[in-house]
Amino acid sequence: DADVTQTPRNRITKTGKRIMLECSQTKGHDRMYWYRQDPGLGLRLIYYSFDVKDINKGEISDGYSVSRQAQAKFSLSLESAIPNQTALYFCATSDLGAGSSTDTQYFGPGTRLTVL
Amino acid sequence: AQSVTQPDIHITVSEGASLELRCNYSYGATPYLFWYVQSPGQGLQLLLKYFSGDTLVQGIKGFEAEFKRSQSSFNLRKPSVHWSDAAEYFCAVGTRGYNKLIFGAGTRLAVHP
């Protein structure tokens, strides 16, 4: 089974609709992230969470919100979807302990979102 | 601010040829550096990473990368490319202490038989 799962894998919606993308992980990591990928731009950070009570905006958080329901679950919401939010969305997790050198991010398979 | 530049958007090589993908970064201190690969329709898979120590890093699938502080570079290499290496490759720099990754725009690799 995959360590980081995302649902749905594909979604087509209309402008103005509310959309939620979900991410679950079985790695036991404290840190979770949401990125979007656009052609020619690489991945850009939307939000990140270092634990259930710690949520932070990334570089492109406008138009998005998140919820960390549990250590293993991190959801991304588009309150009112617009066409320029059409992108590939990735969830990632990482674990960093004191003095650890293992702060590597592990990615889910992605959700392809199309906003018409 | 941290940034990552991958100068080559597309690269095409013949199967069996050597490969070098370029990555330059901007960061005020010693960075964490990563290479990820994204196969068509797949998520990102970590190829290798550099945190400290030996500047030549070995990764999975026969890839290696060399950290050159003087050139602010972390180029990815493979001596002999296989058709299955066709994918998009992303270089990323991590910020110490907060574990946020800044990604380059990616290099798309095509492999000719």
Side-chain angles (χ1 to χ4, degrees), chain B residues 48-92:
Chain B
L48 48 77
K49 60 187 178 183
Y50 171 80
F51 289 158
S52 64
D54 192 347
T55 57
L56 185 61
V57 180
Q58 301 298 320
I60 62 171
K61 304 184 179 186
F63 286 91
E64 66 178 25
E66 186 171 14
F67 170 54
K68 293 186 177 180
R69 183 189 304 274
S70 62
Q71 299 177 18
S72 297
S73 69
F74 189 57
N75 293 349
L76 182 71
R77 301 193 293 250
K78 187 170 185 178
S80 178
V81 172
H82 189 264
W83 64 266
S84 61
D85 293 324
E88 189 156 21
Y89 292 79
F90 292 94
C91 181

Side-chain angles (χ1 to χ4, degrees), chain A residues 37 50 94 101 103-105, chain B residues 32 36 38 49 51 98-99:
Chain A
Q37 181 184 16
F50 285 173
S94 70
S101 65
D103 52 336
T104 298
Q105 292 188 18
Chain B
Y32 291 171
Y36 285 87
Q38 183 181 25
K49 60 187 178 183
F51 289 158
Y98 293 94
N99 201 22

Side-chain angles (χ1 to χ4, degrees), chain B residues 5-78:
Chain B
T5 301
Q6 293 180 246
D8 305 304
I9 298 174
H10 290 98
I11 284 183
T12 300
V13 300
S14 298
E15 192 169 16
S18 63
L19 172 70
E20 183 170 29
L21 302 183
R22 295 182 291 165
C23 173
N24 293 98
Y25 68 90
S26 172
Y27 188 68
T30 301
Y32 291 171
L33 293 162
F34 304 82
W35 275 100
Y36 285 87
V37 59
Q38 183 181 25
S39 298
Q42 303 296 314
L44 276 73
Q45 180 182 22
L46 180 68
L47 283 176
L48 48 77
K49 60 187 178 183
Y50 171 80
F51 289 158
S52 64
D54 192 347
T55 57
L56 185 61
V57 180
Q58 301 298 320
I60 62 171
K61 304 184 179 186
F63 286 91
E64 66 178 25
E66 186 171 14
F67 170 54
K68 293 186 177 180
R69 183 189 304 274
S70 62
Q71 299 177 18
S72 297
S73 69
F74 189 57
N75 293 349
L76 182 71
R77 301 193 293 250
K78 187 170 185 178

